[in-house]
Amino acid sequence: MSKFLKRNQIELVVIDWFGVLSPNFYWCRQSKESKALKIWCDMVFDNPELLNDLMRGRYSISELSQRGEPIEESFIVEMFMKDMDCYRPDFELLASIQAIFPNAKKVLASDNFSLFDHIVTEYQLESHFDRLFLSHKLGALKNDTESLFENILREYSLDNFENCILIDDSEANCVKFRSKLGRAILVS
């Protein structure tokens, strides 16, 4: 039997970054203009194991800039910053979530890597959320055995996500959140 959603009883809304608050890929324009950056992006983003370890903070951009065809770390960062306007979060969605769940704490949970810190600063994300749970800082992805979700449970002294909602574009993440008794909204 489905439990009726009582919006004012939701304690926590967990929101994903890519695919929910920002639909654009990193270096969406710049990698089309720079062959060296395209080669580097393909090396990193087409290798799930390497990408996941980058997002867990196990590699730095500096270390990966020397893999394959070497590329200057400063160039990678510069190209990322040139695309910064493409990463603008959906502030209307954030306002809507605040209006729908006025009593809930809002947290950002993102499987991301260190360059995401530039987005946090540029768009003052800390002022929009009660807390940021970022994989590259915590060393865990949302779908890891010891995941970002466990970090959230500990931080808020919760046994489960019974009065919590996840908004994410990954079905696997939604399934994991639901396994901890939470409700999940899959965005596609």
Side-chain angles (χ1 to χ4, degrees):
M1 174 181 268
S2 177
K3 196 169 154 183
F4 185 77
L5 176 65
K6 295 181 180 172
R7 295 185 300 155
N8 61 343
Q9 292 180 358
I10 297 298
E11 299 173 28
L12 196 63
V13 178
V14 180
I15 307 163
D16 179 42
W17 174 257
F18 178 71
V20 176
L21 287 179
S22 180
N24 289 316
F25 287 104
Y26 292 135
W27 295 288
C28 52
R29 289 187 307 232
Q30 303 309 320
S31 64
K32 293 176 185 168
E33 296 177 18
S34 167
K35 181 179 179 185
L37 184 61
K38 170 86 168 86
I39 290 169
W40 186 84
C41 287
D42 289 348
M43 177 198 65
V44 172
F45 296 116
D46 290 346
N47 182 333
E49 185 177 322
L50 183 65
L51 177 60
N52 287 340
D53 280 344
L54 174 63
M55 291 190 300
R56 288 182 185 107
R58 293 180 184 160
Y59 292 113
S60 68
I61 297 297
S62 178
E63 290 171 311
L64 293 184
S65 71
Q66 299 309 306
R67 281 205 175 185
E69 288 187 35
I71 184 172
E72 291 294 322
E73 177 185 11
S74 59
F75 178 74
I76 294 169
V77 173
E78 177 186 339
M79 294 297 104
F80 181 82
M81 298 302 287
K82 281 186 176 182
D83 268 356
M84 185 59 72
D85 63 315
C86 295
Y87 314 138
R88 180 177 307 280
D90 186 339
F91 290 115
E92 289 179 19
L93 177 59
L94 281 173
S96 295
I97 292 168
Q98 179 61 40
I100 293 169
F101 304 106
N103 301 327
K105 293 187 182 307
K106 289 24 164 231
V107 300
L108 178 69
S110 182
D111 291 341
N112 227 306
F113 52 100
S114 60
L115 287 178
F116 187 74
D117 292 340
H118 294 286
I119 293 172
V120 169
T121 301
E122 177 72 18
Y123 295 111
Q124 302 173 2
L125 294 183
E126 290 174 329
S127 68
H128 297 279
F129 295 94
D130 293 287
R131 181 84 201 282
L132 307 180
F133 291 85
L134 307 176
S135 62
H136 70 280
K137 292 187 183 233
L138 297 172
L141 302 174
K142 284 182 248 174
N143 218 9
D144 284 348
T145 302
E146 179 62 25
S147 74
L148 284 183
F149 295 139
E150 278 76 22
N151 282 275
I152 295 169
L153 289 170
R154 276 193 300 277
E155 177 73 21
Y156 288 97
S157 301
L158 298 171
D159 293 326
N160 57 51
F161 288 122
E162 185 175 7
N163 293 314
C164 306
I165 290 179
L166 170 70
I167 304 171
D168 203 303
D169 68 326
S170 164
E171 187 169 351
N173 292 340
C174 290
V175 167
K176 182 149 187 135
F177 195 82
R178 287 182 189 118
S179 76
K180 299 181 182 311
L181 306 180
R183 296 187 184 113
I185 299 169
L186 179 62
V187 176
S188 60

PDB file of all heavy atoms in Angstrom, residues 117-133:
ATOM      1  N   ASP A 117      33.983  22.283  -7.701  1.00  0.00           N
ATOM      2  CA  ASP A 117      34.135  23.334  -6.701  1.00  0.00           C
ATOM      3  C   ASP A 117      34.035  24.724  -7.329  1.00  0.00           C
ATOM      4  O   ASP A 117      33.574  25.664  -6.679  1.00  0.00           O
ATOM      5  CB  ASP A 117      35.457  23.179  -5.955  1.00  0.00           C
ATOM      6  CG  ASP A 117      35.486  21.933  -5.081  1.00  0.00           C
ATOM      7  OD1 ASP A 117      34.396  21.399  -4.753  1.00  0.00           O
ATOM      8  OD2 ASP A 117      36.591  21.485  -4.728  1.00  0.00           O
ATOM      9  N   HIS A 118      34.444  24.859  -8.596  1.00  0.00           N
ATOM     10  CA  HIS A 118      34.298  26.143  -9.297  1.00  0.00           C
ATOM     11  C   HIS A 118      32.823  26.489  -9.496  1.00  0.00           C
ATOM     12  O   HIS A 118      32.438  27.653  -9.410  1.00  0.00           O
ATOM     13  CB  HIS A 118      35.012  26.111 -10.658  1.00  0.00           C
ATOM     14  CG  HIS A 118      36.498  25.984 -10.547  1.00  0.00           C
ATOM     15  ND1 HIS A 118      37.310  27.013 -10.155  1.00  0.00           N
ATOM     16  CD2 HIS A 118      37.311  24.928 -10.779  1.00  0.00           C
ATOM     17  CE1 HIS A 118      38.575  26.622 -10.150  1.00  0.00           C
ATOM     18  NE2 HIS A 118      38.590  25.348 -10.526  1.00  0.00           N
ATOM     19  N   ILE A 119      32.004  25.492  -9.770  1.00  0.00           N
ATOM     20  CA  ILE A 119      30.554  25.708  -9.925  1.00  0.00           C
ATOM     21  C   ILE A 119      29.957  26.109  -8.582  1.00  0.00           C
ATOM     22  O   ILE A 119      29.131  27.029  -8.509  1.00  0.00           O
ATOM     23  CB  ILE A 119      29.873  24.440 -10.487  1.00  0.00           C
ATOM     24  CG1 ILE A 119      30.328  24.191 -11.930  1.00  0.00           C
ATOM     25  CG2 ILE A 119      28.354  24.558 -10.410  1.00  0.00           C
ATOM     26  CD1 ILE A 119      29.870  22.875 -12.516  1.00  0.00           C
ATOM     27  N   VAL A 120      30.378  25.420  -7.517  1.00  0.00           N
ATOM     28  CA  VAL A 120      29.888  25.749  -6.177  1.00  0.00           C
ATOM     29  C   VAL A 120      30.149  27.220  -5.871  1.00  0.00           C
ATOM     30  O   VAL A 120      29.262  27.935  -5.398  1.00  0.00           O
ATOM     31  CB  VAL A 120      30.559  24.841  -5.109  1.00  0.00           C
ATOM     32  CG1 VAL A 120      30.268  25.337  -3.700  1.00  0.00           C
ATOM     33  CG2 VAL A 120      30.111  23.395  -5.286  1.00  0.00           C
ATOM     34  N   THR A 121      31.356  27.675  -6.164  1.00  0.00           N
ATOM     35  CA  THR A 121      31.720  29.071  -5.900  1.00  0.00           C
ATOM     36  C   THR A 121      30.990  30.030  -6.829  1.00  0.00           C
ATOM     37  O   THR A 121      30.398  31.011  -6.370  1.00  0.00           O
ATOM     38  CB  THR A 121      33.252  29.247  -6.060  1.00  0.00           C
ATOM     39  OG1 THR A 121      33.903  28.359  -5.145  1.00  0.00           O
ATOM     40  CG2 THR A 121      33.673  30.676  -5.795  1.00  0.00           C
ATOM     41  N   GLU A 122      31.027  29.749  -8.124  1.00  0.00           N
ATOM     42  CA  GLU A 122      30.430  30.651  -9.119  1.00  0.00           C
ATOM     43  C   GLU A 122      28.949  30.902  -8.852  1.00  0.00           C
ATOM     44  O   GLU A 122      28.464  32.023  -8.967  1.00  0.00           O
ATOM     45  CB  GLU A 122      30.602  30.059 -10.520  1.00  0.00           C
ATOM     46  CG  GLU A 122      29.972  30.862 -11.632  1.00  0.00           C
ATOM     47  CD  GLU A 122      30.694  32.159 -11.970  1.00  0.00           C
ATOM     48  OE1 GLU A 122      31.882  32.292 -11.591  1.00  0.00           O
ATOM     49  OE2 GLU A 122      30.092  33.036 -12.617  1.00  0.00           O
ATOM     50  N   TYR A 123      28.212  29.866  -8.502  1.00  0.00           N
ATOM     51  CA  TYR A 123      26.765  29.992  -8.334  1.00  0.00           C
ATOM     52  C   TYR A 123      26.337  29.995  -6.865  1.00  0.00           C
ATOM     53  O   TYR A 123      25.152  29.870  -6.578  1.00  0.00           O
ATOM     54  CB  TYR A 123      26.051  28.889  -9.129  1.00  0.00           C
ATOM     55  CG  TYR A 123      26.274  29.068 -10.608  1.00  0.00           C
ATOM     56  CD1 TYR A 123      27.048  28.172 -11.325  1.00  0.00           C
ATOM     57  CD2 TYR A 123      25.760  30.176 -11.273  1.00  0.00           C
ATOM     58  CE1 TYR A 123      27.278  28.353 -12.681  1.00  0.00           C
ATOM     59  CE2 TYR A 123      25.994  30.364 -12.626  1.00  0.00           C
ATOM     60  CZ  TYR A 123      26.760  29.453 -13.319  1.00  0.00           C
ATOM     61  OH  TYR A 123      26.991  29.646 -14.661  1.00  0.00           O
ATOM     62  N   GLN A 124      27.317  30.135  -5.969  1.00  0.00           N
ATOM     63  CA  GLN A 124      27.045  30.241  -4.531  1.00  0.00           C
ATOM     64  C   GLN A 124      26.084  29.148  -4.066  1.00  0.00           C
ATOM     65  O   GLN A 124      25.100  29.404  -3.374  1.00  0.00           O
ATOM     66  CB  GLN A 124      26.517  31.636  -4.196  1.00  0.00           C
ATOM     67  CG  GLN A 124      27.467  32.724  -4.602  1.00  0.00           C
ATOM     68  CD  GLN A 124      26.882  34.122  -4.439  1.00  0.00           C
ATOM     69  OE1 GLN A 124      25.768  34.297  -3.985  1.00  0.00           O
ATOM     70  NE2 GLN A 124      27.647  35.113  -4.825  1.00  0.00           N
ATOM     71  N   LEU A 125      26.382  27.927  -4.464  1.00  0.00           N
ATOM     72  CA  LEU A 125      25.485  26.810  -4.163  1.00  0.00           C
ATOM     73  C   LEU A 125      25.296  26.586  -2.662  1.00  0.00           C
ATOM     74  O   LEU A 125      24.227  26.164  -2.240  1.00  0.00           O
ATOM     75  CB  LEU A 125      25.970  25.525  -4.834  1.00  0.00           C
ATOM     76  CG  LEU A 125      25.928  25.509  -6.358  1.00  0.00           C
ATOM     77  CD1 LEU A 125      26.365  24.154  -6.888  1.00  0.00           C
ATOM     78  CD2 LEU A 125      24.548  25.866  -6.881  1.00  0.00           C
ATOM     79  N   GLU A 126      26.319  26.887  -1.884  1.00  0.00           N
ATOM     80  CA  GLU A 126      26.174  26.691  -0.439  1.00  0.00           C
ATOM     81  C   GLU A 126      25.072  27.550   0.152  1.00  0.00           C
ATOM     82  O   GLU A 126      24.496  27.203   1.177  1.00  0.00           O
ATOM     83  CB  GLU A 126      27.507  26.934   0.254  1.00  0.00           C
ATOM     84  CG  GLU A 126      28.498  25.819  -0.068  1.00  0.00           C
ATOM     85  CD  GLU A 126      29.891  26.049   0.466  1.00  0.00           C
ATOM     86  OE1 GLU A 126      30.322  27.217   0.571  1.00  0.00           O
ATOM     87  OE2 GLU A 126      30.547  25.041   0.775  1.00  0.00           O
ATOM     88  N   SER A 127      24.730  28.655  -0.499  1.00  0.00           N
ATOM     89  CA  SER A 127      23.649  29.516   0.010  1.00  0.00           C
ATOM     90  C   SER A 127      22.262  28.966  -0.346  1.00  0.00           C
ATOM     91  O   SER A 127      21.265  29.425   0.200  1.00  0.00           O
ATOM     92  CB  SER A 127      23.799  30.938  -0.526  1.00  0.00           C
ATOM     93  OG  SER A 127      23.558  30.976  -1.921  1.00  0.00           O
ATOM     94  N   HIS A 128      22.200  27.986  -1.237  1.00  0.00           N
ATOM     95  CA  HIS A 128      20.926  27.406  -1.669  1.00  0.00           C
ATOM     96  C   HIS A 128      20.615  26.074  -0.995  1.00  0.00           C
ATOM     97  O   HIS A 128      19.505  25.551  -1.139  1.00  0.00           O
ATOM     98  CB  HIS A 128      20.906  27.215  -3.183  1.00  0.00           C
ATOM     99  CG  HIS A 128      21.004  28.501  -3.938  1.00  0.00           C
ATOM    100  ND1 HIS A 128      19.923  29.317  -4.152  1.00  0.00           N
ATOM    101  CD2 HIS A 128      22.067  29.126  -4.502  1.00  0.00           C
ATOM    102  CE1 HIS A 128      20.310  30.390  -4.829  1.00  0.00           C
ATOM    103  NE2 HIS A 128      21.600  30.286  -5.054  1.00  0.00           N
ATOM    104  N   PHE A 129      21.591  25.514  -0.304  1.00  0.00           N
ATOM    105  CA  PHE A 129      21.434  24.194   0.306  1.00  0.00           C
ATOM    106  C   PHE A 129      21.869  24.224   1.762  1.00  0.00           C
ATOM    107  O   PHE A 129      22.754  24.993   2.133  1.00  0.00           O
ATOM    108  CB  PHE A 129      22.269  23.142  -0.448  1.00  0.00           C
ATOM    109  CG  PHE A 129      21.814  22.921  -1.853  1.00  0.00           C
ATOM    110  CD1 PHE A 129      22.400  23.605  -2.909  1.00  0.00           C
ATOM    111  CD2 PHE A 129      20.787  22.032  -2.124  1.00  0.00           C
ATOM    112  CE1 PHE A 129      21.966  23.415  -4.214  1.00  0.00           C
ATOM    113  CE2 PHE A 129      20.345  21.833  -3.428  1.00  0.00           C
ATOM    114  CZ  PHE A 129      20.938  22.529  -4.474  1.00  0.00           C
ATOM    115  N   ASP A 130      21.272  23.341   2.545  1.00  0.00           N
ATOM    116  CA  ASP A 130      21.703  23.196   3.934  1.00  0.00           C
ATOM    117  C   ASP A 130      23.071  22.534   4.003  1.00  0.00           C
ATOM    118  O   ASP A 130      23.845  22.785   4.914  1.00  0.00           O
ATOM    119  CB  ASP A 130      20.669  22.379   4.720  1.00  0.00           C
ATOM    120  CG  ASP A 130      19.362  23.147   4.838  1.00  0.00           C
ATOM    121  OD1 ASP A 130      19.320  24.116   5.604  1.00  0.00           O
ATOM    122  OD2 ASP A 130      18.398  22.770   4.146  1.00  0.00           O
ATOM    123  N   ARG A 131      23.348  21.667   3.017  1.00  0.00           N
ATOM    124  CA  ARG A 131      24.619  20.945   3.000  1.00  0.00           C
ATOM    125  C   ARG A 131      24.872  20.414   1.605  1.00  0.00           C
ATOM    126  O   ARG A 131      23.940  20.092   0.873  1.00  0.00           O
ATOM    127  CB  ARG A 131      24.535  19.789   3.995  1.00  0.00           C
ATOM    128  CG  ARG A 131      25.751  18.937   4.144  1.00  0.00           C
ATOM    129  CD  ARG A 131      26.781  19.519   5.120  1.00  0.00           C
ATOM    130  NE  ARG A 131      28.095  18.964   4.867  1.00  0.00           N
ATOM    131  CZ  ARG A 131      28.513  17.775   5.242  1.00  0.00           C
ATOM    132  NH1 ARG A 131      27.735  16.979   5.917  1.00  0.00           N
ATOM    133  NH2 ARG A 131      29.730  17.365   4.947  1.00  0.00           N
ATOM    134  N   LEU A 132      26.150  20.323   1.245  1.00  0.00           N
ATOM    135  CA  LEU A 132      26.570  19.721  -0.020  1.00  0.00           C
ATOM    136  C   LEU A 132      27.292  18.414   0.290  1.00  0.00           C
ATOM    137  O   LEU A 132      28.218  18.395   1.103  1.00  0.00           O
ATOM    138  CB  LEU A 132      27.520  20.648  -0.782  1.00  0.00           C
ATOM    139  CG  LEU A 132      27.063  22.085  -1.041  1.00  0.00           C
ATOM    140  CD1 LEU A 132      28.139  22.853  -1.797  1.00  0.00           C
ATOM    141  CD2 LEU A 132      25.760  22.124  -1.797  1.00  0.00           C
ATOM    142  N   PHE A 133      26.871  17.342  -0.358  1.00  0.00           N
ATOM    143  CA  PHE A 133      27.537  16.050  -0.249  1.00  0.00           C
ATOM    144  C   PHE A 133      28.148  15.758  -1.612  1.00  0.00           C
ATOM    145  O   PHE A 133      27.427  15.396  -2.550  1.00  0.00           O
ATOM    146  CB  PHE A 133      26.545  14.954   0.170  1.00  0.00           C
ATOM    147  CG  PHE A 133      26.058  15.115   1.582  1.00  0.00           C
ATOM    148  CD1 PHE A 133      24.986  15.939   1.860  1.00  0.00           C
ATOM    149  CD2 PHE A 133      26.689  14.461   2.621  1.00  0.00           C
ATOM    150  CE1 PHE A 133      24.539  16.099   3.166  1.00  0.00           C
ATOM    151  CE2 PHE A 133      26.259  14.610   3.928  1.00  0.00           C
ATOM    152  CZ  PHE A 133      25.185  15.438   4.201  1.00  0.00           C
TER     153      PHE A 133
END
